[in-house]
Amino acid sequence: MTFTDAAEAPSGRTSMIKLHTAEDYEGMRKAGRLAAECLDMLCAHMQPGVLTEDLDRMAREFMLDNGSTPACLYYRGYPKTLCISANHVVCHGIPGEKVLKDGDIVNIDVTLILDGWHGDTSRMFAIGNVKRRARRLIDITYEALQRGIAVVRPGAHLGDIGHAIQSYAENERCAVVRDFCGHGLGRVFHDAPNVLHYGQPGTGVELKEGMFFTIEPMLNLGKPAVKILSDGWTAVTRDRSLSAQFEHSIGITANGAEVFTASPAGLHNPTQPDAI
Ligand code: MF3
Ligand code: CO
Ligand code: CO
């Protein structure tokens, strides 16, 4: 299939939550690992002066060289391989002429398809010297994702994930973005269920072994409200406050979660190089 065929094919999304086999986990492990390796590769280039469309090209070449295809390119008309979202951009920033500068905090979101399986992951990068409150936002967002993952196990509920993230974030005086959520994924990019990053314990769908989904909280230093710019994609905070996001693709195991997109180089949060 060409990228254009892929863009026009039915998405395969259904309202049913798919339960996957051991073989499917192997497919997700490979796709997730490659997506994480793509971010590891980009890490060295996250320096002041880098052009965002150069990062996009490097990612696309990396994906194609490794037998995978970019999932975002032409997805619902999206024009690029990566989403690159700096400072007050919440998500879906489009790579282009923009140059990253000292003090920026930047999310790069990578999604690729390997042997039909989607690997979807994003991380924050600090460009040069970043202000303390920006670094703090990055660290809180990273911890919020970890706390969301930590409550995942068969018998827990989707609301437990949202609650773990929201209660931690708000206690740290950060706001959880409501307009975007995590999602089921596998052979389909955006599938059921919606994984909200806020909620009440014990509510929502019960988690079962075999489910695959992303958790991808977006936290703002100001208010939670976002707006979409006239390009139809770029989401920014309405109050122009800083925003941060981390994302992992996970699978539910017999007693917890398997993170498919852990960084093989241990670079998941570049501000804390020793973390997962
Ligand atoms: N990777 C994003 C997510 O986490 C989706 C980007 S869709 C695009 O779900 F079209 F904007 F690329
Ligand atoms: Co996602
Ligand atoms: Co993503």
Side-chain angles (χ1 to χ4, degrees):
M1 250 195 331
T2 64
F3 297 145
T4 321
D5 291 339
E8 285 168 4
S11 77
R13 182 182 176 117
T14 62
S15 57
M16 240 184 50
I17 302 175
K18 298 177 181 73
L19 298 180
H20 296 88
T21 65
E23 204 181 318
D24 300 343
Y25 277 75
E26 200 45 44
M28 286 299 282
R29 239 166 244 144
K30 290 181 182 156
R33 181 183 175 94
L34 191 61
E37 285 171 345
C38 184
L39 282 172
D40 288 351
M41 177 278 295
L42 292 170
C43 203
H45 301 278
M46 297 303 285
Q47 301 291 338
V50 72
L51 193 60
T52 54
E53 67 190 356
D54 284 344
L55 296 167
D56 193 74
R57 180 184 40 75
M58 286 184 246
R60 189 164 49 258
E61 287 172 3
F62 176 90
M63 290 179 191
L64 296 173
D65 287 349
N66 287 282
S68 66
T69 53
C72 293
L73 189 61
Y74 307 142
Y75 176 80
R76 297 188 189 163
Y78 189 75
K80 294 286 179 180
T81 294
L82 297 176
C83 295
I84 304 184
S85 306
N87 302 325
H88 71 297
V89 180
V90 174
C91 63
H92 303 164
I94 304 174
E97 306 280 77
K98 185 184 167 60
V99 171
L100 300 181
K101 60 178 195 310
D102 187 67
D104 284 347
I105 61 165
V106 184
N107 176 277
I108 297 197
D109 194 335
V110 168
T111 317
L112 55 74
I113 308 171
L114 182 65
D115 299 330
W117 297 101
H118 287 76
D120 185 6
T121 182
S122 82
R123 291 181 207 160
M124 295 302 294
F125 297 89
I127 307 298
N129 292 311
V130 158
K131 289 209 173 77
R132 197 163 59 215
R133 65 194 173 87
R135 188 165 296 276
R136 178 175 172 273
L137 174 65
I138 293 177
D139 291 342
I140 290 166
T141 309
Y142 181 81
E143 176 65 15
L145 171 58
Q146 300 308 315
R147 289 189 181 213
I149 294 171
V151 299
V152 172
R153 57 171 177 77
H157 292 256
L158 276 179
D160 298 339
I161 301 174
H163 180 74
I165 292 169
Q166 181 183 19
S167 57
Y168 171 71
E170 292 180 352
N171 190 49
E172 298 290 341
R173 302 180 311 282
C174 293
V176 177
V177 170
R178 307 293 205 270
D179 303 63
F180 299 97
C181 58
H183 49 93
L185 87 170
R187 293 194 175 277
V188 176
F189 189 173
H190 291 114
D191 208 345
N194 286 335
V195 180
L196 305 185
H197 303 116
Y198 56 94
Q200 293 306 317
T203 65
V205 167
E206 187 181 323
L207 305 183
K208 294 194 170 61
E209 188 176 359
M211 290 179 180
F212 296 163
F213 52 78
T214 72
I215 306 179
E216 46 182 300
M218 283 143 272
L219 267 49
N220 300 343
L221 279 183
K223 298 220 153 48
V226 310
K227 66 174 181 187
I228 309 291
L229 300 186
S230 59
D231 60 22
W233 286 102
T234 310
V236 300
T237 54
R238 275 188 182 271
D239 60 8
R240 294 189 68 86
S241 65
L242 291 179
S243 188
Q245 179 179 28
F246 282 89
E247 174 175 24
H248 272 314
S249 300
I250 69 171
I252 304 184
T253 61
N255 46 24
E258 176 174 349
V259 177
F260 296 129
T261 46
S263 164
L267 299 172
H268 191 74
N269 178 357
T271 74
Q272 295 177 337
D274 293 327
I276 310 178

